[in-house]
Amino acid sequence: MEKEIRIYFLVMIFTSVAEGGIKNLAGEAGKSITFPDAVTEKGFLLYGIKTVSMVDNKKNLILEDIYKDKLHWNEDTGLFSITDLQRQHSGIYSVDSKKEHVFTASYNLTVYDPAPTPAVTPVDVTSDLCLLTCSVDKPATLLWIRDQEIQNQNRSALSLHITVYKQDRNSSYRCAAANPAENKTVDVDVTILCGFNETESGNNNQLKYYWKIYTISIKITAFVALTAAIIRVMHLKNKASKCPISREKRRFRKETLMSC
């Protein structure tokens, strides 16, 4: 996904051919930039019409104080680099080769502050959808990406919204904040942020199943207990009805024997 975002900003990050033959370069403050054309033996690096560096006999002479300890020339590759970039380093540079390969290549260098880190918060949440906002503390190009596809974007913005529907809760969401020099992204777990429980339906069905089994068990237990009670009552009634006859018979026999 990081690669795809970089491809999206490729035109802004490094345009190899621009109007007037000037190549566009983008750098980030505090980092470094290397000009892609080389001076192998003799030549110059110019800022506008000022010569900031001169190469001769494999030695580099820096002529502008603001580039001291920041402008470097690589003897092996012949490339100029600026380290610890600052906003004031933005401008038009020219690499002017005077020996072997004679050419002049110009660059429009723009130094940007680091891209801001985006923050995502829910704005409005219902049972079926969720409105999320991605915000930054300074203007940047903002993008909402779902499953590696850009869903919404806005250049030079402080915030950007997206609506997430419950049926899409299993998709991956991320917000990116970018400038031509870099981009920063934040992944979003919508099941947590929006309160969408991805096993909610399964849990409900499971609870309904357990409740049904529990209800059936209660009914069976009650039926068995009621049947046992009825049988016991009938047995006691039957026993009670037989007991008086037995006593009368015993009394009759006893009186008969006494009379004899």
Side-chain angles (χ1 to χ4, degrees), residues 164-175:
V164 179
Y165 295 93
K166 189 174 183 179
Q167 60 265 30
D168 299 324
R169 63 192 173 200
N170 292 324
S171 297
S172 64
Y173 288 85
R174 62 171 50 188
C175 178

Side-chain angles (χ1 to χ4, degrees), residues 87 116 143:
R87 294 292 296 272
L143 303 96

Side-chain angles (χ1 to χ4, degrees), residues 4-254:
E4 293 179 4
I5 297 175
R6 287 179 181 177
I7 292 174
Y8 176 78
F9 288 101
L10 186 60
V11 174
M12 294 188 293
I13 295 175
F14 190 101
T15 303
S16 60
V17 180
E19 294 183 2
I22 299 177
K23 302 173 184 179
N24 292 328
L25 293 178
E28 181 185 342
K31 295 190 177 180
S32 63
I33 192 76
T34 298
F35 299 99
D37 291 290
V39 171
T40 55
E41 291 188 36
K42 184 176 181 178
F44 306 90
L45 178 68
L46 297 90
Y47 177 75
I49 61 173
K50 291 181 180 181
T51 301
V52 297
S53 177
M54 181 177 65
V55 174
D56 193 14
N57 293 324
K58 296 289 184 178
K59 293 182 179 180
N60 181 34
L61 177 63
I62 298 174
L63 304 176
E64 293 290 330
D65 289 340
I66 66 169
Y67 293 96
K68 296 288 185 181
D69 301 323
K70 293 187 177 182
L71 178 61
H72 307 276
W73 177 74
N74 188 302
E75 182 179 343
D76 296 325
T77 63
L79 299 177
F80 289 100
S81 298
I82 302 175
T83 59
D84 190 22
L85 285 169
Q86 303 300 318
R87 294 292 296 272
Q88 62 264 32
H89 290 144
S90 297
I92 303 295
Y93 291 82
S94 297
V95 174
D96 190 8
S97 178
K98 295 300 185 183
K99 195 172 181 180
E100 201 172 89
H101 302 291
V102 179
F103 67 87
T104 298
S106 297
Y107 313 89
N108 182 14
L109 173 63
T110 304
V111 179
Y112 295 87
D113 289 330
T117 302
V120 176
T121 53
V123 177
D124 189 18
V125 178
T126 69
S127 59
D128 297 321
L129 59 86
C130 177
L131 180 64
L132 300 177
T133 183
C134 177
S135 57
V136 288
D137 57 3
K138 56 186 174 182
T141 297
L142 297 179
L143 303 96
W144 268 111
I145 302 143
R146 189 189 85 181
D147 293 337
Q148 302 188 20
E149 291 186 4
I150 296 173
Q151 301 295 307
N152 197 7
Q153 58 184 296
N154 193 4
R155 292 191 178 187
S156 190
L158 289 173
S159 64
L160 187 65
H161 301 290
I162 190 174
T163 300
V164 179
Y165 295 93
K166 189 174 183 179
Q167 60 265 30
D168 299 324
R169 63 192 173 200
N170 292 324
S171 297
S172 64
Y173 288 85
R174 62 171 50 188
C175 178
N179 61 29
E182 70 160 356
N183 63 75
K184 292 180 181 177
T185 62
V186 58
D187 294 320
V188 181
D189 188 341
V190 296
T191 60
I192 295 176
L193 201 59
C194 295
F196 294 155
N197 185 352
E198 51 186 345
T199 60
E200 181 181 347
S201 298
N203 285 343
N204 283 344
N205 292 335
Q206 209 171 28
L207 287 173
K208 290 178 181 178
Y209 173 77
Y210 288 146
W211 178 253
K212 187 175 181 180
I213 294 297
Y214 176 75
T215 304
I216 293 174
S217 299
I218 292 295
K219 289 181 179 179
I220 292 174
T221 302
F223 176 77
V224 171
L226 181 62
T227 303
I230 293 173
I231 292 173
R232 180 175 175 79
V233 169
M234 292 179 64
H235 176 71
L236 291 174
K237 284 185 177 181
N238 186 35
K239 185 176 180 181
S241 62
K242 290 180 179 180
C243 285
I245 297 174
S246 299
R247 290 190 187 120
E248 290 294 330
K249 285 183 178 181
R250 285 197 297 270
R251 188 181 301 162
F252 175 76
R253 289 177 181 174
K254 185 177 180 181

